[in-house]
Amino acid sequence: MYRRSWLAAAGAAAWSPLRALAATAASSPRARAVYDNPTILIGQSAVQSGPSALLGQEMRLGMKAAFEAANAAGGVGGRMVKLVSLDDGYEPDQCLSNTEKLINGSKVFALASYVGTPTCLKALPLIVQTGIPFVGCFTGAAALREFAPNVFHTRASYEQETRAIVGQVTLAERPRVALFVQDDAYGRAIEQGATKALQLVGLKPAAVTLVKRNSLDVAEAVNVLQTVRPHGVVMGSVYGACAKLIEGLGPAGRGAMYSSVSFIGTSGLTKNLGAQAAGIGISQVMPYPWRPSTPLLARFQQAMDTIGAEFSYGALEGFVNGLVVLHGLRECRNDLTWSNFIAALEGARKLDLQGYVLRFGAGIHAGSDFVDMTVINSAGRVVADAGNAGDQLPRLA
């Protein structure tokens, strides 16, 4: 097991000073000020370049599709909704800088569809202190999910995802499980979730191997896993590094069961590995996007076709975030303020998107616990309905 150093900001202690800031921001004059810009601007900081670019690109396209569909139908109260998206390269400092520009420079009304645990953790204190509405971040880390009045989560947590993954691995009677995780707050969240889920069935990680964020150097991890020879590998990194790991382990590693949480970037993994990805299990927090089996998915596919973009889990998550933002905007009618927007989402209680349900309320801003296990088949395609093995684990308190 490697030695590692984690940023203290990822811990629960980071929230202590934020609670007072959040309470002040929620009742500030800025929170009650009417947003009178002729165009409603929604801001996003997300990775658009580098080895993890696809994660942010998909989220951006999904949200753009939702807004353009709304604009084609007349917008919100006659006003168009425009996405202002900035590239942070999946680097925390750049995400914070982008957030400052979006709030104070671009004067966006709300923020949505940020990507990544370390990036969101860096920007979160400013977001909470300002009080600007923040809808949907592409991460399920526990360090981000403690209640804040202006922050709304639209996906399940990493703890829920890792429970499903570990349930699948242990049901397949593969007890020697190793972890391959990113050396940052995201990797820490996956390590903690997987370790807790393994403990529930009397196991612990056989090894924990690391890869740096935005790096494809997995040589050391490959060496460790070749020595340990695990039956299962839980991956908590991004598609490029995970693909390099599997390629590096070669034929000798094909007997292992590889599983990952949704943040891996499913379409990026299949594009990198093709048929070599066969058998990899991935937990998903959105419905299967390639089958128009619900009104939501039909709307999603039509909107994505309109802008000429591919279907993907990431794009669907961005689309869902866009619909949540649009719901809040419409409920505010002509009195568009931060406080009214937040009250509108809390007042939704059960926000049924006709294929995906979110439940919000006063003090309840984590709206979904939906997790579905998928697997990649021999053709390199994602197969849904692999079963939620997490249901087989003891229920968490």
Side-chain angles (χ1 to χ4, degrees):
M1 186 176 295
Y2 292 174
R3 296 172 63 89
R4 67 198 305 166
S5 61
W6 296 106
L7 294 175
W15 277 95
S16 298
L18 291 184
R19 292 191 183 96
L21 293 175
T24 301
S27 59
S28 70
R30 194 170 182 180
R32 299 190 300 272
V34 174
Y35 186 81
D36 56 5
N37 193 321
T39 300
I40 302 172
L41 303 178
I42 306 299
Q44 177 196 34
S45 178
V47 56
Q48 305 288 333
S49 60
S52 306
L54 197 60
L55 300 178
Q57 291 168 359
E58 289 180 344
M59 290 281 278
R60 174 177 57 81
L61 288 169
M63 200 157 50
K64 178 184 177 182
F67 293 161
E68 292 202 3
N71 290 340
V76 176
R79 287 198 277 182
M80 299 295 100
V81 182
K82 180 181 177 182
L83 176 64
V84 181
S85 183
L86 300 180
D87 180 13
D88 59 33
Y90 195 24
E91 292 295 344
D93 288 343
Q94 187 59 53
C95 181
L96 176 58
S97 176
N98 286 352
T99 302
E100 292 171 338
K101 291 175 184 176
L102 290 166
I103 296 173
N104 299 316
S106 301
K107 304 292 185 183
V108 299
F109 172 75
L111 302 170
S113 291
Y114 274 40
V115 174
T117 303
T119 42
C120 289
L121 278 172
K122 188 72 173 183
L124 188 67
L126 175 62
I127 293 169
V128 173
Q129 180 179 12
T130 305
I132 187 171
F134 183 66
V135 176
C137 47
F138 191 2
T139 168
L144 286 158
R145 293 174 74 87
E146 187 165 337
F147 176 77
N150 58 318
V151 178
F152 292 84
H153 299 280
T154 59
R155 60 168 17 239
S157 70
Y158 283 153
E159 185 168 326
Q160 290 165 320
E161 288 194 68
T162 51
R163 276 169 47 83
I165 288 172
V166 168
Q168 185 182 56
V169 171
T170 54
L171 284 176
E173 298 181 356
R174 298 180 183 272
R176 196 160 64 245
V177 180
L179 310 182
F180 170 69
V181 298
Q182 205 158 274
D183 192 8
D184 63 7
Y186 163 45
R188 182 186 188 186
I190 301 307
E191 180 183 351
Q192 290 176 338
T195 300
K196 187 172 184 178
L198 285 168
Q199 288 173 343
L200 290 172
V201 292
L203 300 173
K204 63 181 181 179
V208 178
T209 60
L210 307 178
V211 62
K212 292 184 181 296
R213 183 176 61 250
N214 281 333
S215 172
L216 300 179
D217 183 1
V218 298
E220 192 172 356
V222 168
N223 289 336
V224 171
L225 293 179
Q226 285 175 334
T227 300
V228 174
R229 299 182 66 183
H231 298 108
V233 180
V234 175
M235 300 184 292
S237 185
V238 182
Y239 57 89
C242 293
K244 287 293 184 184
L245 178 80
I246 293 167
E247 289 173 345
L249 290 170
R254 288 178 189 163
M257 176 184 288
Y258 298 93
S259 298
S260 173
V261 295
S262 56
F263 191 78
I264 192 173
T266 302
S267 55
L269 186 69
T270 56
K271 287 176 181 178
N272 272 264
L273 285 177
Q276 291 184 68
I280 297 176
I282 303 175
S283 58
Q284 308 291 355
V285 296
M286 291 286 144
Y288 190 73
W290 293 281
R291 185 187 306 131
S293 55
T294 66
L296 168 66
L297 294 172
R299 288 175 65 193
F300 164 71
Q301 292 191 0
Q302 182 178 4
M304 293 296 285
D305 282 340
T306 299
I307 67 169
E310 295 181 359
F311 309 153
S312 67
Y313 279 105
L316 179 57
E317 187 165 347
F319 187 77
V320 164
N321 291 341
L323 294 183
V324 174
V325 169
L326 289 167
H327 175 82
L329 296 176
R330 291 182 179 119
E331 289 297 303
C332 289
R333 296 180 174 84
N334 294 324
D335 196 11
L336 185 57
T337 68
W338 290 353
S339 57
N340 285 346
F341 180 92
I342 291 166
L345 291 190
E346 288 186 339
R349 301 293 178 180
K350 180 181 178 181
L351 181 53
D352 188 352
L353 301 179
Q354 297 184 299
Y356 189 74
V357 176
L358 290 157
R359 290 178 172 83
F360 297 128
I364 303 171
H365 286 191
S368 175
D369 59 5
F370 174 87
V371 178
D372 184 35
M373 284 304 303
T374 62
V375 67
I376 301 174
N377 67 16
S378 58
R381 296 181 179 277
V382 180
V383 179
D385 306 319
N388 189 347
D391 289 342
Q392 304 297 324
L393 289 172
R395 186 174 297 277
L396 291 171

